[in-house]
Amino acid sequence: MSGEAEAKPDSAVIRDALGVGIAVGLSGFAFGVTSAGAGLTLLQSCALSLLVFTGASQFALVGALAAGGNPLTAAAGAFFLGVRNTFYGLRLSQLLALPRWVRPFAAQWVIDETTAVALAQPTRRAVRIGFTVTGLTLYVLWNLTTLLGALGAEAIGDTDAWGLDAAGPAVFLALLAPMLRTATERAVAGGAVVLGLGFLPVLPAGVPVLVAALAAPAVLWFEGRRTTAPKGTSR
């Protein structure tokens, strides 16, 4: 951690955290609509947001179910997307240094957005404020807008007729795109798209998501081979 001379004002941390929490939390409406369109009940949609609370995994699950996928396959795809939060937790546990009794509760908020805000802070105090404000704002808004989205979907009837079935994937892409900063990350995303779309016509719904996950180890293997290969003589 940086010294106190580089400390960030609490108000600035709270402002940034609220901005992220509000912007992303409102997209829970799209999940509520998508979940209802996939055939989940209001209770099931709200339970997913309350208990799972990781947007990418939730969208992957209901997307696979909407396409007619096996529930176990859909759950597997959502699980593998959520595994990344475990690695976030390893890093955040060092930065937050929370008491043991608090950690199980804080683990529920270990997601992309809280991690991004926390890692951007220069001091432990700022990390804790950023993590807490982002997590609380996002959790409350995400669950509230999930409820409103599911209720709205039930009110308007067939979501496909309104084109709302595309809301989930659109939000997911909007959240993902800004995170692709390096060439390796863009290569993984591009490879996953190619694999997912390529196997979509031939594999059961939900399975192409699992196949697309192979893009990450494939790109990393290629990158490793390229960096360790001996350089040839120049011509």
Side-chain angles (χ1 to χ4, degrees), residues 162-200:
W162 294 80
L164 295 179
D165 53 318
V171 171
F172 179 69
L173 289 176
L175 295 176
L176 177 64
M179 301 179 187
L180 305 177
R181 298 186 179 93
T182 68
T184 299
E185 291 170 346
R186 289 190 288 269
V188 170
V193 170
V194 171
L195 287 173
L197 293 179
F199 284 96
L200 188 61

Side-chain angles (χ1 to χ4, degrees), residues 10-99:
D10 292 351
S11 59
V13 180
I14 293 173
R15 181 194 62 219
D16 294 343
L18 284 174
V20 173
I22 293 173
V24 180
L26 292 176
S27 63
F29 183 85
F31 171 73
V33 171
T34 305
S35 182
L40 274 69
T41 65
L42 177 64
L43 180 60
Q44 289 171 331
S45 299
C46 291
L48 275 175
S49 285
L50 284 167
L51 302 177
V52 178
F53 187 55
T54 173
S57 296
Q58 291 179 231
F59 277 120
L61 176 64
V62 299
L65 293 177
N70 182 285
L72 292 179
T73 304
F79 171 80
F80 282 114
L81 281 174
V83 165
R84 71 193 188 284
N85 293 340
T86 302
F87 298 100
Y88 295 161
L90 294 175
R91 177 58 177 149
L92 287 177
S93 66
Q94 299 173 347
L95 297 178
L96 292 168
L98 297 172

Side-chain angles (χ1 to χ4, degrees), residues 72-152:
L72 292 179
T73 304
F79 171 80
F80 282 114
L81 281 174
V83 165
R84 71 193 188 284
N85 293 340
T86 302
F87 298 100
Y88 295 161
L90 294 175
R91 177 58 177 149
L92 287 177
S93 66
Q94 299 173 347
L95 297 178
L96 292 168
L98 297 172
R100 289 185 178 274
W101 68 271
V102 177
R103 293 176 188 177
F105 302 98
Q108 178 71 352
W109 290 354
V110 176
I111 55 175
D112 295 330
E113 293 76 18
T114 55
T115 302
V117 172
L119 292 179
Q121 308 310 321
T123 64
R124 174 158 289 140
R125 175 181 174 83
V127 168
R128 288 178 171 178
I129 293 174
F131 177 84
T132 302
V133 174
T134 305
L136 178 61
T137 305
L138 184 48
Y139 191 75
V140 171
L141 274 180
W142 181 268
N143 282 282
L144 177 60
T145 54
T146 292
L147 172 63
L148 295 177
L151 288 173

